[in-house]
Amino acid sequence: MKLSLNKVVNGCRLGKIKNLGKTGDRTMDIPGCLLYTKTGSAPHLTHHTLHKIHGVPAMAQLTLSSLAEHHEVLAEYKEGVGKFIGMPESLLYCSLHDPVSPCPAGYVTNKSVSVWGVGGRVEMTASKFMAIQQALQPDWFQCLSDGEATCDETTSIKRARKSVDRSLLFLDNCLKLQEESEVLQKSMIIGVIEGGDVMEERLRSARETAKRPVGGFLLDGFQGTPTTLETRLHLLSSVTAELPEHKPRLICGVSQPDEVLECIERGVDLFESFFPYQATERGCALTFSFDYQPNPEETLLQQNGTQEEVKYVDQTKKSKTTSCNQEMTSFEINLKEKKPSGKH
Amino acid sequence: MAAVASPTSLESAPRIMRVVAECSRSRARAGELRLPHGPVATPVFMPVGTQATMKGITAEQLDALGCRICLGNTYHLGLRPGPELIQKARGLHGFMNWPHNLLTDSGGFQMVSLVSLSEVTEEGVRFRSPYDGDETLLSPERSVEIQNALGSDIIMQLDDVVSSTMTGPRVEEAMYRSIRWLDRCIAAHQRPDKQNLFAIIQGGLDADLRATCLKEMTKRDVPGFAIGGLSGGESKGQFWRMVALSTSRLPKDKPRYLMGVGYATDLVVCVALGCDMFDCVFPTRTARFGSALVPTGNLQLKKKQYEKDFRPIDPECACPTCQKHSRAFLHTLLHSDNTAALHHLTVHNIAYQLRLMSAVRASIVEKRFPDFVRDFMGTMYGDPTLCPSWATEALASVGITLG
């Protein structure tokens, strides 16, 4: 894998990642996004319908939360999750969690991390985690990490420190196990930057993780409400400044267009693409121009617009998934209305 | 006051069906329908799409599977979004973006099956809309008016539908009323050159009533006939006898549409009895319950036995689902909250039905339909002699033995 930067403008990195995939001949543009999947399939879409869409991302995101409980089936299948899900030609990145459905906090220990599937909790030590990755055989995977420093309202320094320590320990264990596995030589571990909202810990996490032979970095713990991202942007810049230029930076939990742009300006390369799914679940269609005018007057008008549109969210149908509790944004129109409102 | 059209006052309706081959033993025929949106090979299975969409797949996918005619429900579309809006969207074809043929029903059947508060009078059926609580009268005239606005290639008369398990004078009343309503539909039909109005034979499970209905309705020169009032809760023994009676009295040069039949065995038997067209929600509905149709019956893919079954649903099937996916993956997906699993099965099940009808047709054209039937029953039941007795009797009645 080789990341070539064409240029950097106002902190935004433009480039290509080459020599990707099992055959080493695939390429991805950065900035870029990953195809969001649930249990190995784009939500609601068959392969046939998905490929009627122009510009499907070259790399799909799989989640361990949807696949971990099936690892025995995959191990017996032997040929890797890409082929199993009917996407043999796609690049694959395996994250720990599903960005849309947050999992219950409080289950990370010094020795294990848990994910929640349909059958309940799956607890993973480093060795179980790597055994699962061995069955999946993704191109990239997020390393086992402690992402719960930002789960509480306020992060304690102690908790932030613990998230960094644990994640580094998991990383070292996983790297060691990777050396011992022939199958996993072809997969790349993505190191996870933790540290909650504590600058010192964030910097420590970035510097220490960068010392390890990881293929790229995942910036964890920046997700939340729009306001929390706002407050963390400064932290984000500081973190990316510590990371090597030639390795990709991924961020999880950020998918709304305005937030994506803010993160690109702060040195992030790759994003999840679950925002379309969330809009779909509330019966809304995305309609927005790609002109981004970050001038204060316009932003104020935009914000006022958002306030008004929030009233139109359909209250009559409450879905089980947390995705539907999200409010409608200014990037969409609600098709259930008689005359859909929206900016355009 | 019901208007009565004189049977001889009509010009000859176009012959939309061309019989290409006939089985020398049974009543099976292979044919071709000439419809405004293109030819359709028969026997044909027509998938059902409620509310202008096939549940689970797009119009494009349906087209890719080779479907050339499918159903739209007048009841749902007549209420919501309503014929005026659909007319603005260039008819149902434009609204659905479906380039091939459409058949709409009258809205009558949904009244019996979906609406608890409906009242039938000579005028029509009065019912309460489940969407906005408004009271509506669906008369023969209104049904045809809605279907004229929808622009479907085949439209159905409004019939007075009674459950097949009903007995007594109501059945007779419904049969005679259906004849009167047929005449009112014919009189109200504004576009006989663009849309083919089919009559629907009623009479329940009473041979005399059905015979009367056949005698009367065949006097009206409509382009095609449907056999209605069956495929409810009646026994299969009664069912096949009414189908056989109907096909024996229907003209050979017009299509016979048997409504609501969709199980594979039923399709094969009823082709033998002389039916050309079929519709049923079964394949699409059963897909949404995780069931995949195969020549030996069906696979309940949610079951544990498929967890590590890495074969496709059917190795002989050319549908996109079978080309790309294993039973094990579909099993996994069915246990998730991703609805894509149901769409995969819908695609496969429709492909299965269409492929079955293709195979039936080829066997008729190639003069080996009786052998096809024996093979089919052997695959489905393990041995042709193990096929259900009603099917054995029905086939025997048209000269096909399974032993």
Side-chain angles (χ1 to χ4, degrees), chain B residues 298-315:
Chain B
N298 66 76
L299 308 178
Q300 299 293 333
L301 289 175
K302 280 180 162 175
K303 291 199 156 153
K304 192 142 173 78
Q305 68 190 97
Y306 299 108
E307 194 189 27
K308 295 178 184 174
D309 190 338
F310 301 124
R311 299 171 291 176
I313 293 171
D314 182 349

Side-chain angles (χ1 to χ4, degrees), chain A residues 38-39 41 44 46 76 86, chain B residues 308 324 336-339 343:
Chain A
K38 287 163 72 73
T39 316
S41 165
H44 310 304
T46 63
E76 205 170 303
Chain B
K308 295 178 184 174
K324 271 217 114 56
S336 76
D337 61 350
N338 193 338
T339 69
H343 305 324

Side-chain angles (χ1 to χ4, degrees), chain A residues 149-155 197 232:
Chain A
T150 41
C151 280
D152 283 325
E153 282 292 309
T154 50
T155 319
D197 293 326
R232 288 170 178 154

Side-chain angles (χ1 to χ4, degrees), chain B residues 264-278:
Chain B
T265 300
D266 300 4
L267 291 172
V268 172
V269 171
C270 292
V271 167
L273 296 180
C275 298
D276 308 302
M277 302 163 67
F278 305 88

Side-chain angles (χ1 to χ4, degrees), chain A residues 1-2 43 61 67 106 113 167-168 174 228 239 286 318:
Chain A
M1 186 218 71
K2 186 176 181 314
Q61 172 190 9
L67 294 172
V113 174
S167 303
L168 286 168
C174 290
T228 53
V239 168
L286 296 182
K318 249 203 139 94

